[in-house]
Amino acid sequence: MVLAGKLITELGIKTPADRFYKLFQSELHEVQNHCERIHHTKLHEGEDWHDTDTVKHWTYVIGDEVHTCYETIEEVDEENKKNTWKLFGGDIDKHYKVFKLILEVTDKADGTAAAKWAIEYEKINEDIEPPNGWMDYLSKCTKDIDVNLSKARVARKD
C-alpha cells in the first residue's frame, strides 16, 4: 500500500487574490480572528510570525475534535502567491511522517479569484487514513476567511 499522497482542492473566493494571500503572507497571526475553527495560535520559537526559522503552535478543530500541532514556513513564493508550511508535533506526528500544507492564490480571467490548497503527506503506516478531514477543514476555513475579508473590504468602501 502507498504511504505517501497528495490531496488538492480549489475554491472560488470573492476576496481579490492579493488580499487573500496577504493574510497568509504577512498577517498570519490574524487568521484565528477570521476562522472559528482555529482556536488559538502563538509563537513557540522566534519573534517574527513570517520568518522561516519561527515555529508557531496551533490549536484547531477538525470535525468535533480539538487538535494541536506546530508549524514552520518551508517556502514562500510571493510572485506566484504561493506558500508551503511544514506541520509537525502534536496530533500530526501520531499519523504522519511528513505533512505539508501548500496554498496558492490566483486571479481568474473572469475577475474572480481562487484559493488552491494541497496537502502532501506520508503516513506512518498503511493503517492510517489519508487526511480527508483536513480538506474539509481547509474548505470551511477558506470560506470563513473569504466572508470576513469580503465584509471588511465592503465596510472600507462605505
Side-chain angles (χ1 to χ4, degrees), residues 23-71:
L23 180 67
F24 292 91
Q25 172 55 24
S26 61
E27 301 169 356
L28 192 59
H29 58 285
E30 293 290 330
V31 170
Q32 67 187 352
N33 298 324
H34 294 283
C35 182
E36 68 182 36
R37 288 162 189 80
I38 300 172
H39 283 193
H40 184 67
T41 60
K42 67 178 181 179
L43 287 174
H44 180 72
E45 293 177 14
E47 296 179 20
D48 180 356
W49 275 84
H50 303 95
D51 188 282
T52 55
D53 293 331
T54 301
V55 177
K56 279 81 67 188
H57 181 264
W58 294 83
T59 303
Y60 51 95
V61 177
I62 294 181
D64 294 329
E65 295 182 33
V66 176
H67 298 272
T68 64
C69 73
Y70 296 96
E71 164 265 311

Side-chain angles (χ1 to χ4, degrees), residues 3 92-97 122-126 128:
L3 295 177
I92 298 293
D93 287 355
K94 292 177 185 176
H95 304 286
Y96 304 99
K97 292 179 186 178
E122 182 179 346
K123 303 183 290 187
I124 58 171
N125 65 53
E126 61 187 38
I128 302 296

Side-chain angles (χ1 to χ4, degrees), residues 61-108:
V61 177
I62 294 181
D64 294 329
E65 295 182 33
V66 176
H67 298 272
T68 64
C69 73
Y70 296 96
E71 164 265 311
T72 60
I73 299 170
E74 188 167 275
E75 182 181 354
V76 174
D77 180 352
E78 289 184 44
E79 184 177 333
N80 293 307
K81 298 180 199 74
K82 181 178 177 183
N83 282 8
T84 303
W85 297 274
K86 176 183 171 186
L87 278 60
F88 58 95
D91 297 321
I92 298 293
D93 287 355
K94 292 177 185 176
H95 304 286
Y96 304 99
K97 292 179 186 178
V98 174
F99 199 93
K100 295 180 185 180
L101 291 181
I102 302 159
L103 171 65
E104 185 172 4
V105 188
T106 56
D107 285 308
K108 298 293 185 181

Side-chain angles (χ1 to χ4, degrees), residues 130-144:
N132 293 317
W134 266 90
M135 295 310 286
D136 184 51
Y137 165 78
L138 291 170
S139 294
K140 289 176 179 176
C141 286
T142 299
K143 289 175 187 172
D144 288 349

